[in-house]
């Protein structure tokens, strides 16, 4: 009897353990690439960085995790190859999901996070400031992102099936450095001492949630600025490249269907962003590119990131600097470092994840938010404002004016002194005092003409999956800011008994809303770029720590009540200004036709390492984005038929568009392929897929085909 009893007890423990670690899992991927030409890129805010073609398509990847019993308890995490999450984008995605799935996927359990890449199409953000260089709102970009994210979630939903999750972490070496180390040094010495063996001024840990043979989701902080601001081909930077490399090489279907085009594998590799604020992939450091000056090639001034007194010549260098003109080599190297870390984690047996799935979300108005600091002192955030060092930019993308970082003075540029009062209202003494010691350059919180320049209301969200908690952050936390937030939330999870001391906390973002940067109070006093871009003032981080911590009880298995929330921010899209003109017409030069070869491949025989290029009579790619498709192919002759073996998402291929006459509407397209070593010998050709728009009538598709060539 006793034996039977203990056998039953053991069996029930075993059953419970199995039942607890089963989740309903879905993974999906979709194309979100907006118009690849004539639109400014999002990230560097550099007007000349306007698209001229495509290096790699941008994608959204989605992971759904649900409890197997209660279908309502699900979370959807989206990692998109965009510069930052956005309120308007998120609102449109939620509306589309609600139309399809009712309340299953909603504001509480869907997170739209970004890889924070800086070489993607811009113009999609709701607030005015980040739209400025894109000439306002670009509906085509916005639609591509919304439709693609919804498609990725649809695919994840369609793939839902039971499975298990495991969790682990690994140290990543050589993948990031701190680009504002002098600000980091402002943090208390005793606090910094806690992290000397954990990367010091950078977090070096990659955390990874494994979905077994179906994919994974990882977090590691490094800016998406491997590709420089002088590149004008749409790409994904190091996180998107890492996902491409992993999915193509190690993903399940890479062995099942070796010729699957990028983005069509079923394995989904997630390289998500973490406390990215002060990180840089430019691991060699920042140097002066000042030809003819004595300091040319020297490291920049450390505290101000200047060369000869200005920021414009100071550029960070990635690990592939000597090989690079646009950062593509460095990009692959930083991607590969992340791929290797993920691969090593995926080949180990990691800790099983078990426990409930929960989510919590509120809107928080960060202008004038009052709360108490841990020491009991009352504190307050401020309506948004950008400091002077914001215009100084960073060593990853220096500013265009002669502002410098780490400077408190208010009169560095007399032109800006005049212009800024026209474009944003002069700050009140109350606003100045609230942001001190930040000198205000753009008083964006009071700039509502023609519509809000910066968001005031942000999304505060957390997901719990067993013992893993994701803090989904509406901005870019610096390294130390991220640690403080993680530590505070973890301590609260344990003290509230929501999770035992196995609680594992990650921060991820910029997600949902773009609330710019979040530094520690001490870093803020230093006013480098990150401090100047901490838009809600010196108490920004403390306000977030207090708010996220207070929401921890709502992640409990049986939470009581629901949290207080501020009203959702107003919808601005309907009043958005768009100055970008549409495509007027495309024409082929007299005597020529669309897709006709203008300059054919130069030779009939090539070898690995060569670049083969053909130029065609082109048309504007804004006529058809070829979402889920491609603007080009490299075809291989097998028997008597051609098979596409490369698309425009392979980094070995480039699609370049050039407007040759605005008046006549003529343009050219170059399709090129740098032949990878290991490419099978045989006969190949290049193809171009275009769409032309006549002055009157509808857009029509055409194809261009190069001459045949062989690869030995
Ligand atoms: C990484 O994983 C190890 C082993 O599971 C764990 O002891 C450690 O606390 C983790 N590191 C962090 C930063 O959480
Ligand atoms: C692009 O910018 C990088 C960083 O400033 C520079 O090193 C490189 O020479 C530039 N490339 C070209 C083609 O101008
Ligand atoms: C914040 O407070 C200031 C001063 O009291 C007021 O002018 C402003 O409208 C408030 N902003 C918000 C978003 O509540
Ligand atoms: C509480 O902490 C804040 C921020 O660190 C500090 O400015 C303030 O002086 C502290 N108040 C007390 C009473 O210690
Ligand atoms: C900026 O102002 C703060 C507070 O007044 C001060 O502590 C800091 O040293 C100043 N920084 C510089 C670079 O002048
Ligand atoms: C930066 O440091 C240099 C040398 O230590 C000093 O001369 C300069 O004034 C500092 N600049 C700023 C903006 O603090
Ligand atoms: C684009 O075409 C124009 C006009 O034919 C030509 O001057 C220019 O060099 C071309 N640009 C590139 C990048 O090929
Ligand atoms: C496009 O291809 C033509 C022909 O090979 C070449 O002359 C031209 O430089 C290329 N343009 C660009 C922008 O690569
Ligand atoms: C290219 O090869 C294909 C298949 O052998 C053949 O049909 C076609 O005529 C060739 N094209 C040229 C321009 O030689």
């Amino acid at each position: 009897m006793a034996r039977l009893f203990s056998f039953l007890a053991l069996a029930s423990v075993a059953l419970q353990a199995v039942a607890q670690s089963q989740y309903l899992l879905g993974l999906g991927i979709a194309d979100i690439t907006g118009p690849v030409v004539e639109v400014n890129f999002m990230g560097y805010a550099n007007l000349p960085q306007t698209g001229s073609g495509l290096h790699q398509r941008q994608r959204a990847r989605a992971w759904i995790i649900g409890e197997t019993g209660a279908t309502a308890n699900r979370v959807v995490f989206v990692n998109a190859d965009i510069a930052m999450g956005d309120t308007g984008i998120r609102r449109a995605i939620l509306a589309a999901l609600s139309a399809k799935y009712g309340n299953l996927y909603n504001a509480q359990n869907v997170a739209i996070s970004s890889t924070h890449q800086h070489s993607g199409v811009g113009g999609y953000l709701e607030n005015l400031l980040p739209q400025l260089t894109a000439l306002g709102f670009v509906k085509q970009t916005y639609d591509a992102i919304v439709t693609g994210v919804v498609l990725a979630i649809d695919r994840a939903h369609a793939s839902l099936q039971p499975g298990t999750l495991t969790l682990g972490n690994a140290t990543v070496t050589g993948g990031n450095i701190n680009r504002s180390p002098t600000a980091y040094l402002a943090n208390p010495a005793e606090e910094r001492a806690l992290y000397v063996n954990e990367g010091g001024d950078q977090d070096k840990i990659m955390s990874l949630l494994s979905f077994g043979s179906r994919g994974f989701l990882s977090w590691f902080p490094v800016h998406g600025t491997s590709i420089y601001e002088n590149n004008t081909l749409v790409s994904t930077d190091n996180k998107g490249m890492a996902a491409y490399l992993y999915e193509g090489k190690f993903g399940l279907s890479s062995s099942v269907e070796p010729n699957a085009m990028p983005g069509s594998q079923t394995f989904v590799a997630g390289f998500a962003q973490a406390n990215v604020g002060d990180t840089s992939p430019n691991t060699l450091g920042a140097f002066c590119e000042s030809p003819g000056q004595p300091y040319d090639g020297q490291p920049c001034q450390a505290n101000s990131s200047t060369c000869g007194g200005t920021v414009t010549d100071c550029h960070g260098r990635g690990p592939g600097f000597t090989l690079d003109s646009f950062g593509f080599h460095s990009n692959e190297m930083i991607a590969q470092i992340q791929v290797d870390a993920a691969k090593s984690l995926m080949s180990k047996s990691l800790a099983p994840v078990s426990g409930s799935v929960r989510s919590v979300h509120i809107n928080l108005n960060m202008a004038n938010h009052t709360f108490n600091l841990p020491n009991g002192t009352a504190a307050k955030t401020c309506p948004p404002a950008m400091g002077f060092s914001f215009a100084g930019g960073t060593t990853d993308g220096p500013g265009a004016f002669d502002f410098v970082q780490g400077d408190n003075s208010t009169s560095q540029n007399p032109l800006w002194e005049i212009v800024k009062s026209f474009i944003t209202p002069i700050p009140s003494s109350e606003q100045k005092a609230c942001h001190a010691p930040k000198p205000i350059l753009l008083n964006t919180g009071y700039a509502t003409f023609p519509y809000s320049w910066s968001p005031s209301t942000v999304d505060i969200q957390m997901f719990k999956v067993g013992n893993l908690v994701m803090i989904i952050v509406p901005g870019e936390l610096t390294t130390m800011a991220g640690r403080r937030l993680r530590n505070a939330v973890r301590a609260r999870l344990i003290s509230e008994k929501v999770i035992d001391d196995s609680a594992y906390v990650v921060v991820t973002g910029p997600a949902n809303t773009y609330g710019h940067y979040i530094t520690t109070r001490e870093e803020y006093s230093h006013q480098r770029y990150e401090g100047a871009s901490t838009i809600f003032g010196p108490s920004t981080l403390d306000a977030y720590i207090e708010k996220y911590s207070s929401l921890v009880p709502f992640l409990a298995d049986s939470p009581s009540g629901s949290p207080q929330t501020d009203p959702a921010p107003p919808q601005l899209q309907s009043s958005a200004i768009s100055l970008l003109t549409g495509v007027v017409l495309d024409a082929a030069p007299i005597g020529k036709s669309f897709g006709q070869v203008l300059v054919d491949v130069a030779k009939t025989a090539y070898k690995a390492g060569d670049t083969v290029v053909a130029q065609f009579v082109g048309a504007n790619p804004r006529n058809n984005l070829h979402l889920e498709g491609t603007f080009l192919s490299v075809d291989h002759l097998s028997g008597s038929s051609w098979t596409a073996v490369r698309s425009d998402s392979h980094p070995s291929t480039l699609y370049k568009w050039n407007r040759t006459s605005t008046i006549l509407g003529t343009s050219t397209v170059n399709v090129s392929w740098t032949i990878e070593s290991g490419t099978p010998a045989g006969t190949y050709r290049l193809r171009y897929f275009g769409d032309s728009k006549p002055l009157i009538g509808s857009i029509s598709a055409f194809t261009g085909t190069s001459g045949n060539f062989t690869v030995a």
Side-chain angles (χ1 to χ4, degrees):
M1 186 71 191
R3 279 179 63 157
L4 178 62
F5 195 80
S6 62
F7 170 76
L8 284 174
L10 273 174
S12 105
V13 166
L15 276 174
Q16 212 177 341
V18 170
Q20 272 180 339
S21 52
Q22 284 281 321
Y23 294 97
L24 203 51
L25 305 175
L27 301 84
I29 177 168
D31 188 352
I32 56 168
T33 316
V36 300
V37 304
E38 300 184 307
V39 178
N40 193 248
F41 285 4
M42 184 63 227
Y44 290 117
N46 176 26
L47 201 49
Q49 197 193 16
T50 292
S52 70
L54 183 64
H55 173 244
Q56 278 190 298
R57 279 183 180 268
Q58 299 169 250
R59 312 234 176 237
R61 291 172 172 84
W63 292 260
I64 301 177
I65 304 169
E67 295 178 345
T68 47
T71 51
N73 288 322
R74 279 188 195 176
V75 292
V76 182
F77 185 88
V78 174
N79 187 38
D81 288 332
I82 54 179
M84 57 275 296
D86 175 66
T87 309
I89 292 274
R90 182 168 191 270
R91 188 190 299 113
I93 292 164
L94 292 174
L97 292 175
S98 147
K100 290 185 180 188
Y101 302 102
N103 196 39
L104 186 57
Y105 303 125
N106 55 51
Q108 183 181 310
N109 67 10
V110 176
I112 312 296
S113 197
S114 66
T115 56
H116 197 46
Q117 55 81 17
H118 284 50
S119 46
V121 188
Y124 65 89
L125 285 104
E126 187 154 76
N127 294 102
L128 183 68
L129 183 63
Q131 290 176 356
L132 281 179
T133 53
L135 302 178
F137 180 71
V138 180
K139 182 144 193 317
Q140 213 178 12
T141 311
Y142 173 93
D143 286 342
I145 298 170
V146 171
T147 315
V149 168
V150 171
L151 184 57
I153 295 172
D154 283 342
R155 287 174 172 165
H157 180 82
S159 81
L160 280 168
Q161 61 185 74
T164 55
L165 296 169
T166 56
L167 178 67
N169 67 71
T171 301
V172 179
T173 309
N176 60 6
I177 61 163
N178 190 309
R179 68 184 188 189
S180 286
T182 54
Y184 179 85
L185 289 175
N187 294 309
E190 58 279 17
E191 185 183 31
R192 285 185 281 118
L194 299 173
Y195 299 99
V196 284
N197 296 324
E198 293 185 19
D201 63 10
Q202 286 292 273
D203 275 349
K204 301 285 186 191
I205 300 285
M206 172 181 280
S207 303
L208 184 140
L209 181 66
S210 168
F211 290 62
S213 61
R214 301 180 65 196
F216 63 84
L217 188 47
S218 72
W219 292 270
F220 174 72
V222 59
H223 247 88
T225 49
S226 284
I227 301 178
Y228 295 125
E229 64 183 320
N230 50 11
N231 161 61
T232 58
L233 300 177
V234 168
S235 194
T236 62
D237 218 274
N238 59 63
K239 296 275 182 192
M241 175 61 93
Y244 158 82
L245 290 172
Y246 202 107
E247 288 164 358
K249 203 162 175 191
F250 304 121
L252 170 74
S253 55
S254 64
S255 49
V256 179
E257 14 168 21
N259 291 328
M261 288 296 168
S264 65
Q265 288 97 348
T266 52
F267 187 95
V268 181
F271 290 90
Q273 203 49 272
N275 39 341
V276 63
D278 50 1
T279 65
S280 172
N282 291 316
T283 50
L284 297 184
F287 295 85
C288 297
E289 291 179 6
S290 316
Q293 299 297 330
Y295 43 83
D296 184 35
Q298 300 295 307
C300 313
Q301 247 282 343
N303 50 3
S304 58
S305 297
T306 53
C307 301
T310 70
V311 293
T312 44
D313 291 350
C314 174
H315 291 271
R317 292 181 178 176
F321 176 75
T322 53
L323 303 167
D324 258 333
S325 356
F326 299 105
F328 289 120
H329 283 97
S330 295
N331 187 51
E332 281 205 41
M333 292 166 82
I334 296 293
Q336 191 63 50
I337 288 170
Q338 296 174 75
V339 166
D340 292 345
K343 180 77 180 106
S344 83
L345 283 163
M346 288 297 283
S347 55
K348 282 186 192 139
S349 96
L350 306 177
V353 174
S354 63
S356 63
V357 175
R358 292 289 180 273
S359 57
V360 62
H361 172 271
I362 60 158
N363 301 305
L364 178 64
N365 186 343
M366 282 290 280
N368 307 331
H369 174 64
T370 55
F371 65 102
N372 285 334
L373 295 170
N375 65 12
T377 306
K380 170 181 177 305
T381 58
C382 331
M386 321 289 303
F388 267 75
S389 298
F390 162 69
T394 70
T395 51
D396 291 338
F401 303 99
D402 58 349
F403 298 105
V404 301
Q405 297 193 58
D407 192 320
N408 287 358
S409 81
T410 57
S411 57
Q412 297 170 37
N413 183 316
L415 177 65
W416 261 101
E417 283 297 315
I418 299 165
V419 169
K420 73 179 192 193
S421 61
F422 276 111
I423 57 180
T424 62
I426 294 167
S428 63
S429 52
E430 185 192 355
Q431 172 78 333
K432 281 184 189 161
C434 190
H435 282 276
K438 177 206 287 170
I440 295 176
L441 171 70
L442 297 173
N443 190 20
T444 52
Y446 290 85
T448 52
F449 179 81
Y451 43 93
S452 296
W453 285 46
S454 295
S456 289
T457 300
V458 301
D459 294 279
I460 301 289
Q461 188 176 39
M462 284 189 286
F463 289 171
K464 171 185 179 294
V465 175
N467 64 322
L468 171 68
V469 167
M470 307 174 205
I471 309 178
I472 297 146
V473 182
E476 304 183 45
L477 291 157
T478 60
T479 302
M480 194 63 100
R483 289 167 177 165
R484 287 188 193 173
L485 179 59
R486 283 197 314 249
N487 291 346
V489 167
R490 185 169 183 276
R492 194 70 166 261
L493 284 162
I494 294 168
S495 71
E496 298 274 350
K497 299 193 166 44
V498 172
I499 305 179
D500 61 18
D501 62 8
S502 71
Y504 193 101
V505 179
V506 295
V507 292
T508 186
N512 297 334
T513 323
Y514 189 52
H516 295 258
Y517 282 74
I518 305 152
T519 62
T520 66
R521 187 181 295 279
E522 295 84 349
E523 291 161 355
Y524 185 92
S525 71
H526 204 70
Q527 282 296 302
R528 276 180 61 88
Y529 178 81
E530 295 80 15
S533 305
T534 296
I535 62 174
F536 301 113
S539 296
T540 303
L541 173 64
D542 289 320
Y544 284 137
I545 290 177
E546 191 278 332
K547 185 51 76 176
Y548 280 101
S549 302
S550 76
L551 293 173
V552 159
F554 296 99
L555 295 175
D557 285 352
S558 317
S560 61
S562 47
Q564 270 198 320
T565 178
D566 288 331
Q571 195 261 103
L572 303 178
Q573 198 206 323
S574 48
S575 55
I577 293 180
S578 184
L579 302 179
L580 181 76
T581 50
V583 178
V584 179
L585 92 155
D586 294 293
I590 293 165
K592 298 212 156 53
S593 56
F594 289 114
Q596 190 172 337
V597 175
L598 288 171
V599 183
D600 208 345
V601 298
K603 300 190 286 186
T604 53
Y606 289 86
K607 57 180 190 329
D610 291 345
T611 296
V612 47
V613 55
Q615 188 178 55
F616 301 89
V617 175
N620 196 315
R622 287 202 279 144
N623 292 327
N624 178 347
L625 303 180
H626 285 251
L627 286 165
E628 299 290 316
T630 179
F631 289 119
L632 65 85
S633 68
V634 174
D635 296 348
H636 178 228
L637 186 64
S638 45
S640 57
S641 64
W642 294 99
T643 310
V645 293
R646 301 284 183 278
S647 74
D648 61 12
S649 274
H650 285 94
S652 59
T653 64
L654 297 179
Y655 167 91
K656 294 183 187 176
W657 180 81
N658 188 21
R659 156 95 60 218
T660 47
S661 168
T662 308
I663 295 165
L664 299 176
T666 53
S667 59
T668 59
V669 159
N670 277 22
V671 171
S672 69
W673 176 38
T674 301
I675 301 162
E676 298 96 331
S677 63
T679 300
T683 301
Y684 291 83
R685 67 179 186 188
L686 306 178
R687 289 215 292 168
Y688 157 44
F689 305 105
D691 303 85
S692 63
K693 181 178 186 295
L695 197 53
I696 299 160
S698 52
I699 292 169
S700 55
F702 61 86
T703 304
T705 307
S706 78
N708 302 339
F709 56 91
T710 59
V711 172

